[in-house]
């Protein structure tokens, strides 16, 4: 089988963007992650985070997004390969879903550690 030529850099970015758009359009949980991320970004701006805190928040958001994208890719691949009910396919999908759970919990923990004390402090100064 002949190999396809590698796409140029702009095509690679376009394909990645199309993949991200597909996940956002097709996966309810990704849209939930996106809405939470937007809220966290606004809250972060309101709390005037330091550069390091911003970096941690951005990494936490990227971690959650990456988990959801990976889960979707795994599920699509399994659905493409396995057409009948299969216990191994179920476990593979469950393991991929666990990736989302782990990354979301880690992201939420980072968000709470960074935003929680600052938000509490800000709320305590409101008359």
């Amino acid at each position: 089988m002949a190999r396809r030529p590698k796409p140029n850099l702009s095509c690679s970015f376009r394909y990645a963007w199309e993949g991200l758009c597909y996940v956002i359009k097709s996966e309810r949980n990704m849209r939930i992650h996106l809405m939470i991320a937007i809220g966290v970004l606004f809250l972060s701006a309101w709390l005037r985070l330091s550069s390091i805190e911003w970096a941690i928040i951005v990494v936490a958001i990227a971690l959650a997004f990456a988990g959801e994208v990976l889960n979707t890719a795994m599920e699509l691949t399994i659905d493409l390969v396995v057409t009948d009910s299969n216990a191994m396919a179920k476990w593979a999908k469950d393991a991929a879903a666990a990736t989302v759970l782990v990354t979301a919990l880690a992201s939420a923990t980072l968000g709470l550690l960074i935003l929680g004390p600052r938000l509490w402090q800000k709320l305590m100064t409101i008359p």
Side-chain angles (χ1 to χ4, degrees):
M1 182 189 302
R3 291 186 74 156
R4 279 189 329 178
K6 285 194 172 198
N8 63 34
L9 187 59
S10 68
C11 286
S12 295
F13 278 107
R14 188 178 84 239
Y15 297 152
W17 179 254
E18 288 172 1
L20 182 60
C21 289
Y22 172 81
V23 174
I24 292 168
K25 288 176 189 172
S26 67
E27 298 296 324
R28 179 199 66 213
N29 290 344
M30 182 59 149
R31 292 189 299 274
I32 291 169
H33 288 299
L34 183 58
M35 292 299 111
I36 291 170
I38 291 168
V40 165
L41 292 173
F42 278 112
L43 183 59
S44 297
W46 183 63
L47 293 173
R48 299 174 193 251
L49 299 185
S50 70
S51 296
I52 297 297
E53 291 167 326
W54 268 106
I56 294 168
I57 292 297
V58 168
V59 168
I61 290 170
L63 182 66
F65 283 8
E68 193 64 55
V69 170
L70 178 62
N71 179 53
T72 301
M74 291 288 294
E75 287 185 351
L76 289 170
T77 302
I78 291 164
D79 289 345
L80 181 66
V81 173
V82 179
T83 57
D84 297 331
S85 180
N86 181 301
M88 293 295 283
K90 179 206 180 305
W91 287 115
K93 285 184 168 189
D94 290 352
T99 301
V100 178
L101 179 63
V102 169
T103 59
L105 288 173
S107 296
T109 301
L110 288 170
L112 286 172
L113 289 171
I114 298 293
L115 300 174
R118 284 178 161 266
L119 181 59
W120 182 256
Q121 182 181 25
K122 191 134 183 159
L123 291 175
M124 291 297 102
T125 62
I126 296 174

